[in-house]
Amino acid sequence: MSNIPEDLKYTESHEWVRVEADGSVTVGITDYAQSSLGDVVHLELPAVGKVVEAGQDVAVVESVKAASDIYSPLSGEIIAANDALAGSPEQLNADAYSAWLFKLKPSNPSELGELLSPTAYAQSSD
């Protein structure tokens, strides 16, 4: 299994989630996901202000191998998209946990309890 930081939550569809001090969450794709995709060449990020549901596809990561939908781990409003990353998507391959895709203000914080712990994510990805 690839690198799985202990301070993050995860989805079975390979997104990572970091809960910020203000209650917002930052979302990216895991090291496993970027490794499986190969060289990332293009990103389609969600629009700021878009309201999404947990499990809804909100972004696309395109690599030399395939395009993959990225799903929102929680319901809420998109409050930021990493436009700098869209200009240099290869940063996802260099460090998947620094290269966040979008930030979300959750509308139902109890959904955080449905995300995977690092241990559970490691077991689900084996």
Side-chain angles (χ1 to χ4, degrees):
M1 176 48 66
S2 54
N3 180 22
I4 302 175
E6 291 292 319
D7 61 336
L8 302 175
K9 299 278 192 181
Y10 299 89
T11 68
E12 290 186 6
S13 54
H14 307 291
E15 289 87 10
W16 59 259
V17 177
R18 182 177 57 233
V19 179
E20 306 295 347
D22 66 358
S24 66
V25 297
T26 302
V27 180
I29 63 170
T30 65
D31 191 46
Y32 175 83
Q34 71 79 24
S35 177
S36 297
L37 284 166
D39 292 337
V40 175
V41 296
H42 181 72
L43 296 172
E44 292 179 27
L45 298 174
V48 173
K50 182 175 183 177
V51 176
V52 299
E53 296 293 323
Q56 179 181 345
D57 59 327
V58 295
V60 176
V61 175
E62 186 176 330
S63 73
V64 294
K65 291 182 180 177
S68 181
D69 288 332
I70 305 301
Y71 303 97
S72 180
L74 305 167
S75 301
E77 179 182 351
I78 304 294
I79 58 173
N82 191 349
D83 293 328
L85 184 63
S88 54
E90 67 279 0
Q91 290 179 28
L92 272 174
N93 295 118
D95 185 353
Y97 297 107
S98 294
W100 59 275
L101 298 175
F102 60 92
K103 296 184 180 198
L104 179 81
K105 181 179 178 183
S107 61
N108 186 1
S110 68
E111 291 174 344
L112 282 166
E114 298 171 19
L115 299 177
L116 301 173
S117 68
T119 301
Y121 176 68
Q123 292 171 346
S124 75
S125 300
D126 283 341

Coordinates of all heavy atoms in Angstrom, one line a residue, residues 39-43 45 61-62 82-95 98-101:
D39 N 0.7 9.5 -15.0 CA 1.0 10.9 -15.2 C -0.3 11.7 -15.5 O -1.0 11.5 -16.5 CB 2.0 11.1 -16.4 CG 3.3 10.6 -16.1 OD1 3.7 10.4 -14.9 OD2 4.1 10.3 -17.1
V40 N -0.6 12.6 -14.5 CA -1.8 13.4 -14.6 C -1.5 14.6 -15.6 O -0.5 15.3 -15.5 CB -2.2 14.0 -13.2 CG1 -3.4 15.0 -13.4 CG2 -2.5 12.8 -12.3
V41 N -2.4 14.8 -16.6 CA -2.2 15.8 -17.6 C -3.2 16.9 -17.6 O -3.0 17.9 -18.3 CB -2.1 15.1 -19.0 CG1 -0.9 14.2 -19.1 CG2 -3.4 14.4 -19.3
H42 N -4.4 16.7 -17.0 CA -5.4 17.7 -17.0 C -6.4 17.5 -15.8 O -6.6 16.4 -15.4 CB -6.2 17.6 -18.3 CG -7.3 18.6 -18.5 ND1 -7.1 19.9 -18.8 CD2 -8.6 18.5 -18.4 CE1 -8.2 20.6 -18.8 NE2 -9.2 19.7 -18.6
L43 N -6.9 18.7 -15.4 CA -7.9 18.6 -14.3 C -9.1 19.5 -14.6 O -8.9 20.5 -15.3 CB -7.3 19.2 -13.0 CG -6.1 18.5 -12.4 CD1 -5.5 19.4 -11.2 CD2 -6.6 17.2 -11.8
L45 N -11.9 21.2 -12.4 CA -12.2 21.4 -11.0 C -13.6 22.0 -10.8 O -14.1 22.6 -11.8 CB -11.2 22.4 -10.3 CG -9.8 21.9 -10.3 CD1 -8.8 22.9 -9.8 CD2 -9.7 20.6 -9.5
V61 N -10.0 14.1 -13.1 CA -8.6 14.0 -13.2 C -8.3 13.1 -14.4 O -8.7 12.0 -14.5 CB -7.9 13.4 -12.0 CG1 -6.4 13.2 -12.2 CG2 -8.2 14.2 -10.7
E62 N -7.6 13.7 -15.4 CA -7.2 13.0 -16.6 C -5.7 12.7 -16.6 O -4.9 13.6 -16.4 CB -7.6 13.9 -17.8 CG -7.5 13.2 -19.1 CD -8.0 14.1 -20.3 OE1 -8.9 14.9 -20.1 OE2 -7.4 13.9 -21.4
N82 N -8.6 24.7 -6.4 CA -7.1 24.9 -6.5 C -6.8 25.2 -8.0 O -6.2 24.3 -8.7 CB -6.3 23.7 -6.0 CG -4.9 24.0 -5.8 OD1 -4.4 25.1 -6.3 ND2 -4.2 23.1 -5.1
D83 N -7.0 26.4 -8.4 CA -6.8 26.8 -9.8 C -5.3 26.7 -10.1 O -4.9 26.5 -11.3 CB -7.3 28.2 -10.0 CG -8.8 28.3 -10.0 OD1 -9.5 27.3 -10.3 OD2 -9.4 29.3 -9.6
A84 N -4.4 27.0 -9.2 CA -3.0 26.8 -9.4 C -2.6 25.4 -9.8 O -1.8 25.2 -10.7 CB -2.2 27.3 -8.2
L85 N -3.3 24.5 -9.2 CA -3.0 23.0 -9.6 C -3.5 22.7 -11.0 O -2.9 22.0 -11.7 CB -3.8 22.1 -8.6 CG -3.5 20.7 -8.7 CD1 -2.1 20.3 -8.5 CD2 -4.4 19.9 -7.7
A86 N -4.6 23.4 -11.4 CA -5.1 23.1 -12.8 C -4.1 23.5 -13.8 O -4.0 23.0 -14.9 CB -6.4 23.9 -13.0
G87 N -3.3 24.5 -13.5 CA -2.2 25.0 -14.4 C -1.0 24.1 -14.4 O -0.2 24.2 -15.3
S88 N -0.8 23.3 -13.4 CA 0.3 22.4 -13.3 C -0.1 21.1 -12.6 O 0.3 20.8 -11.5 CB 1.5 23.0 -12.6 OG 1.1 23.5 -11.3
P89 N -1.0 20.3 -13.3 CA -1.6 19.1 -12.7 C -0.6 18.0 -12.3 O -0.9 17.1 -11.5 CB -2.5 18.6 -13.8 CG -2.0 19.1 -15.1 CD -1.4 20.5 -14.7
E90 N 0.7 18.1 -12.9 CA 1.7 17.1 -12.5 C 2.0 17.1 -11.0 O 2.6 16.2 -10.5 CB 2.9 17.3 -13.4 CG 3.7 18.6 -13.2 CD 3.1 19.8 -13.8 OE1 2.1 19.7 -14.5 OE2 3.7 20.9 -13.7
Q91 N 1.7 18.2 -10.3 CA 1.9 18.3 -8.9 C 1.2 17.2 -8.2 O 1.7 16.8 -7.1 CB 1.5 19.7 -8.3 CG 2.3 20.8 -8.8 CD 1.8 22.1 -8.2 OE1 1.1 22.2 -7.2 NE2 2.0 23.2 -8.9
L92 N 0.1 16.7 -8.7 CA -0.6 15.6 -8.1 C 0.3 14.3 -8.0 O 0.3 13.6 -7.0 CB -1.9 15.2 -8.8 CG -3.1 15.9 -8.5 CD1 -4.3 15.6 -9.4 CD2 -3.5 15.6 -7.0
N93 N 1.1 14.1 -9.0 CA 2.0 13.0 -9.0 C 3.2 13.2 -8.1 O 3.7 12.3 -7.5 CB 2.6 12.7 -10.4 CG 1.5 12.3 -11.4 OD1 1.2 12.9 -12.3 ND2 0.8 11.2 -11.1
A94 N 3.6 14.5 -7.9 CA 4.8 14.8 -7.1 C 4.4 14.6 -5.6 O 5.3 14.1 -4.8 CB 5.3 16.2 -7.4
D95 N 3.3 15.1 -5.2 CA 2.9 15.0 -3.8 C 1.3 15.1 -3.7 O 0.8 16.2 -3.6 CB 3.5 16.1 -2.9 CG 3.2 15.9 -1.4 OD1 2.4 15.1 -1.1 OD2 3.8 16.7 -0.7
S98 N -0.2 17.3 -0.8 CA -0.1 18.7 -0.8 C -1.0 19.3 -1.9 O -1.4 20.5 -1.8 CB 1.3 19.1 -1.0 OG 2.1 18.7 0.1
A99 N -1.2 18.6 -2.9 CA -2.0 19.1 -4.1 C -3.5 18.9 -3.9 O -4.1 17.9 -4.5 CB -1.5 18.4 -5.3
W100 N -4.1 19.7 -3.1 CA -5.5 19.6 -2.9 C -6.3 20.1 -4.1 O -5.8 20.8 -5.0 CB -5.9 20.4 -1.7 CG -5.6 21.9 -1.7 CD1 -4.4 22.5 -1.4 CD2 -6.5 22.9 -2.1 NE1 -4.5 23.8 -1.6 CE2 -5.8 24.1 -2.0 CE3 -7.8 23.0 -2.6 CZ2 -6.3 25.4 -2.4 CZ3 -8.4 24.2 -2.9 CH2 -7.6 25.4 -2.8
L101 N -7.5 19.5 -4.3 CA -8.4 19.8 -5.4 C -9.4 20.9 -5.1 O -9.6 21.9 -5.9 CB -9.1 18.6 -5.9 CG -8.2 17.5 -6.4 CD1 -9.0 16.2 -6.8 CD2 -7.3 17.9 -7.6

